[in-house]
Amino acid sequence: MTIEEAIKSSIPLKPHTRTTLNIMYSSRLVEEKIAELLKPYKVSMQQYNVLRILRGQKGIPANLSTIQERMINKMSNTTRLVDKLIEKKLADRTICESNRRKVEIIITPKGLELLLEIDPLMAKCNEDILKLFSLQELNTLNNLLDKLK
Amino acid sequence: MTIEEAIKSSIPLKPHTRTTLNIMYSSRLVEEKIAELLKPYKVSMQQYNVLRILRGQKGIPANLSTIQERMINKMSNTTRLVDKLIEKKLADRTICESNRRKVEIIITPKGLELLLEIDPLMAKCNEDILKLFSLQELNTLNNLLDKLK
DNA sequence: TAACAATATTTGTTATGACAATTGAAGAAG
DNA sequence: CTTCTTCAATTGTCATAACAAATATTGTTA
């Protein structure tokens, strides 16, 4: 299906407009699928994203600015996002002793367990979304998208 | 720049995961640029999107469900989105006489003027975002993204 | 034609997001 | 050593999003 069909555009789009719309539209499709997968686990996509960043730290505590720069959605109030994870006992926060302006955030065993449970489903979800793509096509797509950055 | 570099991922990503992350990340980049462009005009991306849909109707009133199915972000409360446009006198809403459950939404002259003002800037913005791409690359990217739908 | 189902939109509620202002701590300069 | 600046995170406020429930109108059928 073309993007024009998807958004039922009567007029043909210019190539550049077509592409930016297509990127945004495709992203929505991906997000929808992922949000649906995460829903039963009561974590939002952003919360899940932060949990993965924390796991990626391999035990080293992360501070807020580290988390922010690694997020897919750079957002302003990461504090409250982390608050939610702490409420759910998926993460923990302490004040950094060497620099009391910073905080140290770590993932809890419960958080790690949750990620382990979701991991295979998320892998399958990503494969499902892209099931029509050959590895070579994935490569091409990735390389093209990388040109945006 | 690769997506791994962008999100500072220490571990290499699986091809499918890499691609879905890349699509979402790229979409954020595009959205950021567009939001920035629209900011001085005090309309959100979604509001702008709806205005363009209304213009595309070429005078024929649109009802809410039509707007919804044509939006990039299918969303639940289009009512309140349209409310905002009406507050700003960019759109008008009347009840459909032949089926009083429906509403008829049209863009006002002020709304059309606003779009005309934004049009060239938006075209330039899209071109800027994709300035490193040849027409052929845009085509390839579009065709690949179309496979998602 | 009264009762029920379907359609189209609206409203209420709660959670997130954007953005600015504020707080508290650390570092620098006189 | 006290003032100023910078840094890191938090908080307040308002706008938007998600989701469910409610309302109003029309269509259907027994």
Side-chain angles (χ1 to χ4, degrees), chain B residues 42-44 46-47 75 77 80-81 84 88:
Chain B
K42 309 281 182 200
V43 286
S44 67
Q46 282 74 356
Q47 288 170 13
M75 54 178 267
N77 44 355
R80 277 179 281 225
L81 212 171
K84 299 284 166 178
K88 292 173 193 160

PDB file of all heavy atoms in Angstrom, chain B residues 42-44 46-47 75 77 80-81 84 88, chain C residues 13-17, chain D residues 14-18:
ATOM      1  N   LYS B  42       1.460  28.691  16.148  1.00  0.00           N
ATOM      2  CA  LYS B  42       0.576  28.241  17.242  1.00  0.00           C
ATOM      3  C   LYS B  42      -0.381  27.128  16.833  1.00  0.00           C
ATOM      4  O   LYS B  42      -1.528  27.092  17.287  1.00  0.00           O
ATOM      5  CB  LYS B  42      -0.245  29.429  17.791  1.00  0.00           C
ATOM      6  CG  LYS B  42       0.584  30.654  18.161  1.00  0.00           C
ATOM      7  CD  LYS B  42       1.243  30.482  19.489  1.00  0.00           C
ATOM      8  CE  LYS B  42       2.035  31.734  19.873  1.00  0.00           C
ATOM      9  NZ  LYS B  42       3.046  31.450  20.882  1.00  0.00           N
ATOM     10  N   VAL B  43       0.053  26.280  15.915  1.00  0.00           N
ATOM     11  CA  VAL B  43      -0.736  25.078  15.635  1.00  0.00           C
ATOM     12  C   VAL B  43       0.145  23.858  15.849  1.00  0.00           C
ATOM     13  O   VAL B  43       1.332  23.876  15.529  1.00  0.00           O
ATOM     14  CB  VAL B  43      -1.315  25.039  14.199  1.00  0.00           C
ATOM     15  CG1 VAL B  43      -2.463  26.001  14.037  1.00  0.00           C
ATOM     16  CG2 VAL B  43      -0.242  25.290  13.153  1.00  0.00           C
ATOM     17  N   SER B  44      -0.422  22.825  16.408  1.00  0.00           N
ATOM     18  CA  SER B  44       0.326  21.587  16.614  1.00  0.00           C
ATOM     19  C   SER B  44       0.366  20.819  15.303  1.00  0.00           C
ATOM     20  O   SER B  44      -0.388  21.105  14.369  1.00  0.00           O
ATOM     21  CB  SER B  44      -0.338  20.736  17.683  1.00  0.00           C
ATOM     22  OG  SER B  44      -1.588  20.267  17.226  1.00  0.00           O
ATOM     23  N   GLN B  46      -0.717  17.896  14.707  1.00  0.00           N
ATOM     24  CA  GLN B  46      -1.998  17.249  14.442  1.00  0.00           C
ATOM     25  C   GLN B  46      -3.018  18.252  13.915  1.00  0.00           C
ATOM     26  O   GLN B  46      -3.805  17.946  13.016  1.00  0.00           O
ATOM     27  CB  GLN B  46      -2.534  16.549  15.688  1.00  0.00           C
ATOM     28  CG  GLN B  46      -1.882  15.224  16.006  1.00  0.00           C
ATOM     29  CD  GLN B  46      -0.482  15.385  16.583  1.00  0.00           C
ATOM     30  OE1 GLN B  46       0.035  16.507  16.672  1.00  0.00           O
ATOM     31  NE2 GLN B  46       0.148  14.299  16.974  1.00  0.00           N
ATOM     32  N   GLN B  47      -3.008  19.438  14.502  1.00  0.00           N
ATOM     33  CA  GLN B  47      -3.930  20.467  14.039  1.00  0.00           C
ATOM     34  C   GLN B  47      -3.616  20.832  12.586  1.00  0.00           C
ATOM     35  O   GLN B  47      -4.526  20.956  11.755  1.00  0.00           O
ATOM     36  CB  GLN B  47      -3.826  21.701  14.935  1.00  0.00           C
ATOM     37  CG  GLN B  47      -4.440  21.479  16.314  1.00  0.00           C
ATOM     38  CD  GLN B  47      -4.122  22.608  17.281  1.00  0.00           C
ATOM     39  OE1 GLN B  47      -3.657  23.673  16.886  1.00  0.00           O
ATOM     40  NE2 GLN B  47      -4.377  22.397  18.556  1.00  0.00           N
ATOM     41  N   MET B  75      -6.265   9.136  16.057  1.00  0.00           N
ATOM     42  CA  MET B  75      -6.391   9.342  17.493  1.00  0.00           C
ATOM     43  C   MET B  75      -7.830   9.349  17.938  1.00  0.00           C
ATOM     44  O   MET B  75      -8.752   9.485  17.146  1.00  0.00           O
ATOM     45  CB  MET B  75      -5.673  10.595  17.943  1.00  0.00           C
ATOM     46  CG  MET B  75      -6.060  11.861  17.218  1.00  0.00           C
ATOM     47  SD  MET B  75      -5.177  13.255  17.904  1.00  0.00           S
ATOM     48  CE  MET B  75      -6.361  13.816  19.128  1.00  0.00           C
ATOM     49  N   ASN B  77      -9.550  11.271  20.301  1.00  0.00           N
ATOM     50  CA  ASN B  77     -10.400  12.444  20.493  1.00  0.00           C
ATOM     51  C   ASN B  77     -10.157  13.551  19.480  1.00  0.00           C
ATOM     52  O   ASN B  77      -9.592  14.582  19.781  1.00  0.00           O
ATOM     53  CB  ASN B  77     -10.301  12.967  21.918  1.00  0.00           C
ATOM     54  CG  ASN B  77      -8.871  13.008  22.390  1.00  0.00           C
ATOM     55  OD1 ASN B  77      -7.976  12.555  21.691  1.00  0.00           O
ATOM     56  ND2 ASN B  77      -8.669  13.602  23.542  1.00  0.00           N
ATOM     57  N   ARG B  80     -11.959  17.116  20.236  1.00  0.00           N
ATOM     58  CA  ARG B  80     -11.295  18.215  20.936  1.00  0.00           C
ATOM     59  C   ARG B  80     -10.210  18.877  20.093  1.00  0.00           C
ATOM     60  O   ARG B  80      -9.917  20.051  20.254  1.00  0.00           O
ATOM     61  CB  ARG B  80     -10.736  17.724  22.273  1.00  0.00           C
ATOM     62  CG  ARG B  80     -11.840  17.737  23.354  1.00  0.00           C
ATOM     63  CD  ARG B  80     -11.359  17.255  24.688  1.00  0.00           C
ATOM     64  NE  ARG B  80     -11.297  15.809  24.705  1.00  0.00           N
ATOM     65  CZ  ARG B  80     -11.738  15.044  25.709  1.00  0.00           C
ATOM     66  NH1 ARG B  80     -12.276  15.613  26.778  1.00  0.00           N
ATOM     67  NH2 ARG B  80     -11.654  13.753  25.647  1.00  0.00           N
ATOM     68  N   LEU B  81      -9.635  18.093  19.176  1.00  0.00           N
ATOM     69  CA  LEU B  81      -8.648  18.668  18.259  1.00  0.00           C
ATOM     70  C   LEU B  81      -9.346  19.703  17.365  1.00  0.00           C
ATOM     71  O   LEU B  81      -8.842  20.816  17.171  1.00  0.00           O
ATOM     72  CB  LEU B  81      -8.038  17.550  17.413  1.00  0.00           C
ATOM     73  CG  LEU B  81      -6.590  17.704  16.987  1.00  0.00           C
ATOM     74  CD1 LEU B  81      -6.081  16.443  16.360  1.00  0.00           C
ATOM     75  CD2 LEU B  81      -6.392  18.859  16.062  1.00  0.00           C
ATOM     76  N   LYS B  84     -10.191  22.968  19.073  1.00  0.00           N
ATOM     77  CA  LYS B  84      -9.086  23.930  19.118  1.00  0.00           C
ATOM     78  C   LYS B  84      -9.036  24.762  17.833  1.00  0.00           C
ATOM     79  O   LYS B  84      -8.785  25.958  17.859  1.00  0.00           O
ATOM     80  CB  LYS B  84      -7.747  23.200  19.283  1.00  0.00           C
ATOM     81  CG  LYS B  84      -7.638  22.403  20.548  1.00  0.00           C
ATOM     82  CD  LYS B  84      -7.399  23.318  21.725  1.00  0.00           C
ATOM     83  CE  LYS B  84      -7.646  22.543  23.018  1.00  0.00           C
ATOM     84  NZ  LYS B  84      -7.391  23.328  24.210  1.00  0.00           N
ATOM     85  N   LYS B  88      -9.676  28.853  17.314  1.00  0.00           N
ATOM     86  CA  LYS B  88      -8.748  29.755  16.612  1.00  0.00           C
ATOM     87  C   LYS B  88      -9.329  30.293  15.310  1.00  0.00           C
ATOM     88  O   LYS B  88      -8.600  30.913  14.523  1.00  0.00           O
ATOM     89  CB  LYS B  88      -7.446  28.997  16.302  1.00  0.00           C
ATOM     90  CG  LYS B  88      -6.640  28.642  17.528  1.00  0.00           C
ATOM     91  CD  LYS B  88      -5.462  27.749  17.175  1.00  0.00           C
ATOM     92  CE  LYS B  88      -4.855  27.148  18.432  1.00  0.00           C
ATOM     93  NZ  LYS B  88      -4.046  25.958  18.158  1.00  0.00           N
TER      94      LYS B  88
ATOM     95  P    DT C  13     -15.331  13.021  35.868  1.00  0.00           P
ATOM     96  OP1  DT C  13     -15.996  12.515  37.076  1.00  0.00           O
ATOM     97  OP2  DT C  13     -14.933  14.441  35.779  1.00  0.00           O
ATOM     98  O5'  DT C  13     -14.023  12.134  35.611  1.00  0.00           O
ATOM     99  C5'  DT C  13     -14.183  10.760  35.255  1.00  0.00           C
ATOM    100  C4'  DT C  13     -12.819  10.123  35.047  1.00  0.00           C
ATOM    101  O4'  DT C  13     -12.384  10.340  33.671  1.00  0.00           O
ATOM    102  C3'  DT C  13     -11.717  10.694  35.940  1.00  0.00           C
ATOM    103  O3'  DT C  13     -11.011   9.612  36.519  1.00  0.00           O
ATOM    104  C2'  DT C  13     -10.840  11.493  34.974  1.00  0.00           C
ATOM    105  C1'  DT C  13     -11.023  10.728  33.685  1.00  0.00           C
ATOM    106  N1   DT C  13     -10.782  11.501  32.439  1.00  0.00           N
ATOM    107  C2   DT C  13     -10.099  10.878  31.405  1.00  0.00           C
ATOM    108  O2   DT C  13      -9.690   9.733  31.486  1.00  0.00           O
ATOM    109  N3   DT C  13      -9.929  11.648  30.282  1.00  0.00           N
ATOM    110  C4   DT C  13     -10.339  12.949  30.100  1.00  0.00           C
ATOM    111  O4   DT C  13     -10.120  13.531  29.043  1.00  0.00           O
ATOM    112  C5   DT C  13     -11.036  13.543  31.221  1.00  0.00           C
ATOM    113  C7   DT C  13     -11.527  14.954  31.111  1.00  0.00           C
ATOM    114  C6   DT C  13     -11.223  12.790  32.315  1.00  0.00           C
ATOM    115  P    DT C  14      -9.997   9.854  37.745  1.00  0.00           P
ATOM    116  OP1  DT C  14     -10.509   9.079  38.878  1.00  0.00           O
ATOM    117  OP2  DT C  14      -9.719  11.301  37.886  1.00  0.00           O
ATOM    118  O5'  DT C  14      -8.668   9.154  37.202  1.00  0.00           O
ATOM    119  C5'  DT C  14      -8.749   8.074  36.256  1.00  0.00           C
ATOM    120  C4'  DT C  14      -7.525   8.081  35.381  1.00  0.00           C
ATOM    121  O4'  DT C  14      -7.693   9.018  34.289  1.00  0.00           O
ATOM    122  C3'  DT C  14      -6.250   8.504  36.119  1.00  0.00           C
ATOM    123  O3'  DT C  14      -5.269   7.499  35.889  1.00  0.00           O
ATOM    124  C2'  DT C  14      -5.881   9.839  35.476  1.00  0.00           C
ATOM    125  C1'  DT C  14      -6.460   9.677  34.084  1.00  0.00           C
ATOM    126  N1   DT C  14      -6.737  10.925  33.336  1.00  0.00           N
ATOM    127  C2   DT C  14      -6.387  10.973  32.004  1.00  0.00           C
ATOM    128  O2   DT C  14      -5.869  10.035  31.412  1.00  0.00           O
ATOM    129  N3   DT C  14      -6.677  12.159  31.364  1.00  0.00           N
ATOM    130  C4   DT C  14      -7.253  13.275  31.932  1.00  0.00           C
ATOM    131  O4   DT C  14      -7.455  14.274  31.258  1.00  0.00           O
ATOM    132  C5   DT C  14      -7.586  13.158  33.337  1.00  0.00           C
ATOM    133  C7   DT C  14      -8.213  14.329  34.034  1.00  0.00           C
ATOM    134  C6   DT C  14      -7.322  12.010  33.959  1.00  0.00           C
ATOM    135  P    DA C  15      -3.782   7.607  36.528  1.00  0.00           P
ATOM    136  OP1  DA C  15      -3.536   6.319  37.197  1.00  0.00           O
ATOM    137  OP2  DA C  15      -3.654   8.880  37.270  1.00  0.00           O
ATOM    138  O5'  DA C  15      -2.859   7.696  35.245  1.00  0.00           O
ATOM    139  C5'  DA C  15      -3.118   6.841  34.139  1.00  0.00           C
ATOM    140  C4'  DA C  15      -2.332   7.327  32.943  1.00  0.00           C
ATOM    141  O4'  DA C  15      -2.902   8.569  32.457  1.00  0.00           O
ATOM    142  C3'  DA C  15      -0.863   7.619  33.236  1.00  0.00           C
ATOM    143  O3'  DA C  15      -0.104   7.074  32.159  1.00  0.00           O
ATOM    144  C2'  DA C  15      -0.790   9.153  33.260  1.00  0.00           C
ATOM    145  C1'  DA C  15      -1.868   9.504  32.245  1.00  0.00           C
ATOM    146  N9   DA C  15      -2.482  10.828  32.384  1.00  0.00           N
ATOM    147  C8   DA C  15      -3.077  11.368  33.482  1.00  0.00           C
ATOM    148  N7   DA C  15      -3.557  12.580  33.291  1.00  0.00           N
ATOM    149  C5   DA C  15      -3.261  12.840  31.965  1.00  0.00           C
ATOM    150  C6   DA C  15      -3.500  13.965  31.147  1.00  0.00           C
ATOM    151  N6   DA C  15      -4.124  15.066  31.563  1.00  0.00           N
ATOM    152  N1   DA C  15      -3.068  13.903  29.868  1.00  0.00           N
ATOM    153  C2   DA C  15      -2.437  12.800  29.447  1.00  0.00           C
ATOM    154  N3   DA C  15      -2.149  11.685  30.114  1.00  0.00           N
ATOM    155  C4   DA C  15      -2.594  11.774  31.394  1.00  0.00           C
ATOM    156  P    DT C  16       1.463   6.822  32.289  1.00  0.00           P
ATOM    157  OP1  DT C  16       1.784   5.427  32.053  1.00  0.00           O
ATOM    158  OP2  DT C  16       1.925   7.518  33.507  1.00  0.00           O
ATOM    159  O5'  DT C  16       1.969   7.627  31.005  1.00  0.00           O
ATOM    160  C5'  DT C  16       1.435   8.883  30.794  1.00  0.00           C
ATOM    161  C4'  DT C  16       1.796   9.440  29.459  1.00  0.00           C
ATOM    162  O4'  DT C  16       1.000  10.616  29.319  1.00  0.00           O
ATOM    163  C3'  DT C  16       3.241   9.895  29.363  1.00  0.00           C
ATOM    164  O3'  DT C  16       3.624   9.846  27.997  1.00  0.00           O
ATOM    165  C2'  DT C  16       3.176  11.288  29.951  1.00  0.00           C
ATOM    166  C1'  DT C  16       1.795  11.774  29.480  1.00  0.00           C
ATOM    167  N1   DT C  16       1.073  12.686  30.433  1.00  0.00           N
ATOM    168  C2   DT C  16       0.579  13.873  29.936  1.00  0.00           C
ATOM    169  O2   DT C  16       0.696  14.211  28.775  1.00  0.00           O
ATOM    170  N3   DT C  16      -0.060  14.663  30.866  1.00  0.00           N
ATOM    171  C4   DT C  16      -0.254  14.387  32.200  1.00  0.00           C
ATOM    172  O4   DT C  16      -0.843  15.181  32.918  1.00  0.00           O
ATOM    173  C5   DT C  16       0.288  13.121  32.659  1.00  0.00           C
ATOM    174  C7   DT C  16       0.120  12.730  34.093  1.00  0.00           C
ATOM    175  C6   DT C  16       0.911  12.342  31.763  1.00  0.00           C
ATOM    176  P    DG C  17       5.084  10.290  27.567  1.00  0.00           P
ATOM    177  OP1  DG C  17       5.433   9.537  26.342  1.00  0.00           O
ATOM    178  OP2  DG C  17       5.984  10.238  28.738  1.00  0.00           O
ATOM    179  O5'  DG C  17       4.870  11.814  27.186  1.00  0.00           O
ATOM    180  C5'  DG C  17       4.124  12.147  26.021  1.00  0.00           C
ATOM    181  C4'  DG C  17       4.226  13.630  25.726  1.00  0.00           C
ATOM    182  O4'  DG C  17       3.426  14.358  26.683  1.00  0.00           O
ATOM    183  C3'  DG C  17       5.644  14.191  25.819  1.00  0.00           C
ATOM    184  O3'  DG C  17       5.944  14.853  24.598  1.00  0.00           O
ATOM    185  C2'  DG C  17       5.618  15.142  27.012  1.00  0.00           C
ATOM    186  C1'  DG C  17       4.137  15.438  27.220  1.00  0.00           C
ATOM    187  N9   DG C  17       3.747  15.538  28.611  1.00  0.00           N
ATOM    188  C8   DG C  17       3.920  14.587  29.588  1.00  0.00           C
ATOM    189  N7   DG C  17       3.456  14.947  30.747  1.00  0.00           N
ATOM    190  C5   DG C  17       2.941  16.220  30.532  1.00  0.00           C
ATOM    191  C6   DG C  17       2.314  17.118  31.432  1.00  0.00           C
ATOM    192  O6   DG C  17       2.070  16.970  32.629  1.00  0.00           O
ATOM    193  N1   DG C  17       1.962  18.304  30.800  1.00  0.00           N
ATOM    194  C2   DG C  17       2.182  18.585  29.465  1.00  0.00           C
ATOM    195  N2   DG C  17       1.777  19.771  29.040  1.00  0.00           N
ATOM    196  N3   DG C  17       2.763  17.753  28.627  1.00  0.00           N
ATOM    197  C4   DG C  17       3.121  16.594  29.223  1.00  0.00           C
TER     198       DG C  17
ATOM    199  P    DC D  14      -2.060  27.003  34.686  1.00  0.00           P
ATOM    200  OP1  DC D  14      -2.420  28.414  34.878  1.00  0.00           O
ATOM    201  OP2  DC D  14      -2.794  25.922  35.395  1.00  0.00           O
ATOM    202  O5'  DC D  14      -2.108  26.674  33.123  1.00  0.00           O
ATOM    203  C5'  DC D  14      -1.029  27.059  32.270  1.00  0.00           C
ATOM    204  C4'  DC D  14      -0.935  26.069  31.126  1.00  0.00           C
ATOM    205  O4'  DC D  14      -0.316  24.836  31.566  1.00  0.00           O
ATOM    206  C3'  DC D  14      -2.308  25.671  30.532  1.00  0.00           C
ATOM    207  O3'  DC D  14      -2.259  25.928  29.124  1.00  0.00           O
ATOM    208  C2'  DC D  14      -2.434  24.187  30.870  1.00  0.00           C
ATOM    209  C1'  DC D  14      -0.973  23.753  30.941  1.00  0.00           C
ATOM    210  N1   DC D  14      -0.685  22.516  31.722  1.00  0.00           N
ATOM    211  C2   DC D  14       0.208  21.597  31.179  1.00  0.00           C
ATOM    212  O2   DC D  14       0.730  21.837  30.077  1.00  0.00           O
ATOM    213  N3   DC D  14       0.485  20.469  31.874  1.00  0.00           N
ATOM    214  C4   DC D  14      -0.086  20.240  33.060  1.00  0.00           C
ATOM    215  N4   DC D  14       0.232  19.123  33.699  1.00  0.00           N
ATOM    216  C5   DC D  14      -1.002  21.175  33.639  1.00  0.00           C
ATOM    217  C6   DC D  14      -1.280  22.277  32.934  1.00  0.00           C
ATOM    218  P    DA D  15      -3.511  25.636  28.185  1.00  0.00           P
ATOM    219  OP1  DA D  15      -3.668  26.861  27.376  1.00  0.00           O
ATOM    220  OP2  DA D  15      -4.631  25.103  28.991  1.00  0.00           O
ATOM    221  O5'  DA D  15      -2.974  24.481  27.237  1.00  0.00           O
ATOM    222  C5'  DA D  15      -1.723  24.633  26.569  1.00  0.00           C
ATOM    223  C4'  DA D  15      -1.375  23.328  25.876  1.00  0.00           C
ATOM    224  O4'  DA D  15      -1.073  22.317  26.864  1.00  0.00           O
ATOM    225  C3'  DA D  15      -2.498  22.764  25.001  1.00  0.00           C
ATOM    226  O3'  DA D  15      -1.922  22.330  23.776  1.00  0.00           O
ATOM    227  C2'  DA D  15      -3.061  21.615  25.849  1.00  0.00           C
ATOM    228  C1'  DA D  15      -1.826  21.155  26.614  1.00  0.00           C
ATOM    229  N9   DA D  15      -2.078  20.526  27.909  1.00  0.00           N
ATOM    230  C8   DA D  15      -2.807  21.013  28.953  1.00  0.00           C
ATOM    231  N7   DA D  15      -2.831  20.228  30.004  1.00  0.00           N
ATOM    232  C5   DA D  15      -2.048  19.144  29.619  1.00  0.00           C
ATOM    233  C6   DA D  15      -1.680  17.966  30.282  1.00  0.00           C
ATOM    234  N6   DA D  15      -2.059  17.662  31.529  1.00  0.00           N
ATOM    235  N1   DA D  15      -0.891  17.087  29.616  1.00  0.00           N
ATOM    236  C2   DA D  15      -0.508  17.393  28.361  1.00  0.00           C
ATOM    237  N3   DA D  15      -0.796  18.471  27.631  1.00  0.00           N
ATOM    238  C4   DA D  15      -1.574  19.315  28.332  1.00  0.00           C
ATOM    239  P    DT D  16      -2.802  21.818  22.596  1.00  0.00           P
ATOM    240  OP1  DT D  16      -2.138  22.220  21.345  1.00  0.00           O
ATOM    241  OP2  DT D  16      -4.210  22.167  22.851  1.00  0.00           O
ATOM    242  O5'  DT D  16      -2.638  20.243  22.725  1.00  0.00           O
ATOM    243  C5'  DT D  16      -1.336  19.688  22.615  1.00  0.00           C
ATOM    244  C4'  DT D  16      -1.371  18.233  23.021  1.00  0.00           C
ATOM    245  O4'  DT D  16      -1.770  18.088  24.400  1.00  0.00           O
ATOM    246  C3'  DT D  16      -2.353  17.380  22.211  1.00  0.00           C
ATOM    247  O3'  DT D  16      -1.554  16.416  21.553  1.00  0.00           O
ATOM    248  C2'  DT D  16      -3.295  16.788  23.265  1.00  0.00           C
ATOM    249  C1'  DT D  16      -2.453  16.862  24.529  1.00  0.00           C
ATOM    250  N1   DT D  16      -3.146  16.904  25.839  1.00  0.00           N
ATOM    251  C2   DT D  16      -2.899  15.917  26.763  1.00  0.00           C
ATOM    252  O2   DT D  16      -2.144  14.979  26.551  1.00  0.00           O
ATOM    253  N3   DT D  16      -3.559  16.045  27.963  1.00  0.00           N
ATOM    254  C4   DT D  16      -4.432  17.063  28.319  1.00  0.00           C
ATOM    255  O4   DT D  16      -4.962  17.075  29.423  1.00  0.00           O
ATOM    256  C5   DT D  16      -4.644  18.075  27.306  1.00  0.00           C
ATOM    257  C7   DT D  16      -5.559  19.208  27.594  1.00  0.00           C
ATOM    258  C6   DT D  16      -3.999  17.945  26.129  1.00  0.00           C
ATOM    259  P    DA D  17      -2.151  15.285  20.679  1.00  0.00           P
ATOM    260  OP1  DA D  17      -1.117  14.894  19.687  1.00  0.00           O
ATOM    261  OP2  DA D  17      -3.493  15.684  20.247  1.00  0.00           O
ATOM    262  O5'  DA D  17      -2.278  14.087  21.726  1.00  0.00           O
ATOM    263  C5'  DA D  17      -1.095  13.521  22.272  1.00  0.00           C
ATOM    264  C4'  DA D  17      -1.409  12.200  22.938  1.00  0.00           C
ATOM    265  O4'  DA D  17      -2.019  12.442  24.231  1.00  0.00           O
ATOM    266  C3'  DA D  17      -2.356  11.300  22.173  1.00  0.00           C
ATOM    267  O3'  DA D  17      -1.768  10.000  22.142  1.00  0.00           O
ATOM    268  C2'  DA D  17      -3.667  11.357  22.965  1.00  0.00           C
ATOM    269  C1'  DA D  17      -3.206  11.690  24.374  1.00  0.00           C
ATOM    270  N9   DA D  17      -4.100  12.544  25.144  1.00  0.00           N
ATOM    271  C8   DA D  17      -4.597  13.767  24.776  1.00  0.00           C
ATOM    272  N7   DA D  17      -5.359  14.330  25.695  1.00  0.00           N
ATOM    273  C5   DA D  17      -5.349  13.415  26.743  1.00  0.00           C
ATOM    274  C6   DA D  17      -5.961  13.415  28.010  1.00  0.00           C
ATOM    275  N6   DA D  17      -6.733  14.399  28.461  1.00  0.00           N
ATOM    276  N1   DA D  17      -5.747  12.342  28.813  1.00  0.00           N
ATOM    277  C2   DA D  17      -4.975  11.358  28.357  1.00  0.00           C
ATOM    278  N3   DA D  17      -4.349  11.248  27.194  1.00  0.00           N
ATOM    279  C4   DA D  17      -4.579  12.311  26.415  1.00  0.00           C
ATOM    280  P    DA D  18      -2.592   8.744  21.673  1.00  0.00           P
ATOM    281  OP1  DA D  18      -1.624   7.729  21.221  1.00  0.00           O
ATOM    282  OP2  DA D  18      -3.698   9.199  20.804  1.00  0.00           O
ATOM    283  O5'  DA D  18      -3.220   8.256  23.054  1.00  0.00           O
ATOM    284  C5'  DA D  18      -2.375   7.695  24.039  1.00  0.00           C
ATOM    285  C4'  DA D  18      -3.208   6.850  24.986  1.00  0.00           C
ATOM    286  O4'  DA D  18      -4.094   7.717  25.738  1.00  0.00           O
ATOM    287  C3'  DA D  18      -4.108   5.827  24.288  1.00  0.00           C
ATOM    288  O3'  DA D  18      -4.085   4.641  25.065  1.00  0.00           O
ATOM    289  C2'  DA D  18      -5.483   6.497  24.297  1.00  0.00           C
ATOM    290  C1'  DA D  18      -5.441   7.304  25.586  1.00  0.00           C
ATOM    291  N9   DA D  18      -6.228   8.537  25.613  1.00  0.00           N
ATOM    292  C8   DA D  18      -6.388   9.449  24.615  1.00  0.00           C
ATOM    293  N7   DA D  18      -7.136  10.487  24.954  1.00  0.00           N
ATOM    294  C5   DA D  18      -7.479  10.232  26.269  1.00  0.00           C
ATOM    295  C6   DA D  18      -8.250  10.942  27.197  1.00  0.00           C
ATOM    296  N6   DA D  18      -8.842  12.109  26.943  1.00  0.00           N
ATOM    297  N1   DA D  18      -8.405  10.405  28.434  1.00  0.00           N
ATOM    298  C2   DA D  18      -7.801   9.242  28.706  1.00  0.00           C
ATOM    299  N3   DA D  18      -7.049   8.475  27.915  1.00  0.00           N
ATOM    300  C4   DA D  18      -6.928   9.035  26.696  1.00  0.00           C
TER     301       DA D  18
END
